[in-house]
């Protein structure tokens, strides 16, 4: 905005009885830690907490990091945490290939819901 317009706006505000707004410091954006926290909350949140490959791998990474942190405090706990994290990481990686992706069926812009037919299908859908 040019200086001419800024001066006119300040004059109008003075006539109305308000002071000119103080210049605000421009923020560079959210911090890295804030972005990590938001991503973590979004990945763990949701209506129903289902066991997805991403969540299993996130838990595995948390266990591995926990093993690194606990290394100095409780040396006997490092190996079980590290092995559990490694096994969970492999299981989570395998789940990417075992579980098929859910495909949302649509017809003319509307979602088509297929009702599960057997008890096994209803049980599997509740686990998702």
């Amino acid at each position: 905005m040019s200086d001419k317009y800024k001066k006119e706006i300040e004059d109008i505000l003075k006539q109305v009885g308000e002071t000119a707004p103080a210049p605000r410091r421009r923020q560079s954006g959210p911090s890295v830690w804030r972005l990590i926290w938001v991503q973590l909350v979004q990945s763990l949140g949701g209506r129903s907490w289902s066991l997805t490959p991403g969540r299993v791998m996130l838990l595995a990474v948390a266990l591995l990091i926990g093993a690194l942190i606990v290394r100095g405090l409780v040396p006997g706990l490092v190996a079980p945490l590290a092995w559990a994290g490694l096994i969970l990481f492999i299981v989570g990686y395998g789940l990417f290939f075992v579980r098929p992706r859910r495909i949302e069926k649509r017809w003319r812009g509307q979602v088509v819901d297929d009702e599960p037919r057997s008890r096994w299908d209803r049980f599997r859908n509740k686990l998702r």
Side-chain angles (χ1 to χ4, degrees), residues 17 36 50 61 64 67 102 111 124:
I36 290 171
S50 61
V61 169
L64 290 170
R102 289 186 69 189
V111 177
R124 277 192 6 214

Side-chain angles (χ1 to χ4, degrees), residues 13-123:
L13 288 175
K14 284 180 186 176
Q15 289 174 358
V16 175
E18 296 181 14
T19 59
R24 293 190 312 170
R25 190 179 78 176
R26 186 172 184 191
Q27 293 180 348
S28 62
S31 68
V32 173
W33 296 111
R34 174 81 176 139
L35 293 174
I36 290 171
W37 178 253
V38 168
Q39 184 65 32
L40 182 67
V41 168
Q42 286 178 352
S43 67
L44 293 177
R47 289 187 204 147
S48 63
W49 202 87
S50 61
L51 195 63
T52 61
R55 289 181 179 159
V56 172
M57 292 177 78
L58 183 66
L59 180 63
V61 169
L63 282 174
L64 290 170
I65 292 173
L68 289 174
I69 293 171
V70 173
R71 179 177 56 186
L73 301 173
V74 186
L77 194 59
V78 174
L81 280 178
W83 279 108
L86 183 64
I87 290 170
L88 271 179
F89 193 83
I90 292 170
V91 167
Y93 187 73
L95 283 175
F96 276 114
F97 300 108
V98 172
R99 281 190 152 181
R101 291 187 180 192
R102 289 186 69 189
I103 299 173
E104 186 177 12
K105 297 177 185 176
R106 292 183 168 264
W107 173 255
R108 295 185 180 186
Q110 301 294 322
V111 177
V112 177
D113 293 328
D114 290 336
E115 294 295 323
R117 296 184 190 97
S118 68
R119 287 185 182 183
W120 175 250
D121 288 333
R122 280 184 264 147
F123 177 72

